[in-house]
Amino acid sequence: VADMYHVDGVKAFLGPYCNSGDNPVATMATFWNVPIIAYMQTANALSDKSIYKTLVRVSIRSVNSIASVTAAFIKHYNWNRVAFISNTGASAYERIIAFETAFRANGINVAKKILFEESMNVNDMVNSGQMEEIRSTSRIIIVMFSSVRDMTSLFREATGKAGLS
């Protein structure tokens, strides 16, 4: 990026493709006052316009926008208490923070957060006691697993095995 700017005289950046690469590129672009158009970035951290002043994201969706839409949907139905089901890990944590922020701004209370280890299988989920906790404390559940593994299908199978609808 530095060579592209200083040697090649680049006037704008398109990309990079991955979230991890966009942070340093967007930071340098801001320092140089050069526009950067990010086409796949969804990371919540990149929404801070005080840091990433020249960054424009044109992805179809971002975690922030999905969280805002979900909060609007929940508010529309006058629901005010939800539970989160997710996995452990940095990516999942970032999503939860974005959703909690949107929910708090809309007066929606996150009553329960249940996190499953990424290595868990269906039997581990059922035997952990978390399914009973979900049954006893939650009516509206926001399930959002990161893409590390297909934990959504594992969770769906575990809920069936535990008798949850």
Side-chain angles (χ1 to χ4, degrees), residues 20-38:
S20 61
D22 202 43
N23 188 325
V25 175
T27 303
M28 287 184 267
T30 297
F31 179 78
W32 297 321
N33 198 29
V34 172
I36 174 170
I37 301 170

Side-chain angles (χ1 to χ4, degrees), residues 117-136:
E117 293 292 328
E118 292 176 345
S119 61
M120 287 182 137
N121 61 33
V122 172
N123 290 329
D124 294 336
M125 288 180 175
V126 172
N127 295 333
S128 71
Q130 300 285 28
M131 294 298 163
E132 275 310 309
E133 191 159 346
I134 293 167
R135 181 190 324 275
S136 66

Side-chain angles (χ1 to χ4, degrees), residues 95-152:
R95 288 185 182 126
I96 288 172
I97 294 300
F99 273 75
E100 283 182 318
T101 302
F103 286 5
R104 196 172 19 259
N106 285 279
I108 300 164
N109 179 35
V110 177
K112 191 74 179 165
K113 277 189 272 188
I114 296 177
L115 303 177
F116 291 103
E117 293 292 328
E118 292 176 345
S119 61
M120 287 182 137
N121 61 33
V122 172
N123 290 329
D124 294 336
M125 288 180 175
V126 172
N127 295 333
S128 71
Q130 300 285 28
M131 294 298 163
E132 275 310 309
E133 191 159 346
I134 293 167
R135 181 190 324 275
S136 66
T137 63
S138 308
R139 180 172 168 243
I140 299 161
I141 301 170
I142 310 297
V143 179
M144 53 183 171
F145 292 108
S146 66
S147 58
V148 176
R149 282 181 56 209
D150 188 12
M151 290 189 72
T152 304

Side-chain angles (χ1 to χ4, degrees), residues 18-82:
C18 62
N19 281 320
S20 61
D22 202 43
N23 188 325
V25 175
T27 303
M28 287 184 267
T30 297
F31 179 78
W32 297 321
N33 198 29
V34 172
I36 174 170
I37 301 170
Y39 53 90
M40 288 300 291
Q41 285 63 20
T42 60
N44 187 35
L46 295 173
S47 64
D48 188 344
K49 289 309 240 176
S50 67
I51 298 172
Y52 306 105
K53 296 176 182 176
T54 62
L55 173 65
V56 175
R57 295 192 287 180
V58 293
S59 61
I60 296 170
R61 60 182 168 69
S62 70
V63 174
N64 294 5
S65 63
I66 293 169
S68 294
V69 168
T70 304
F73 177 82
I74 291 169
K75 189 174 181 177
H76 173 77
Y77 285 99
N78 294 317
W79 300 330
N80 57 14
R81 191 169 180 252
V82 300

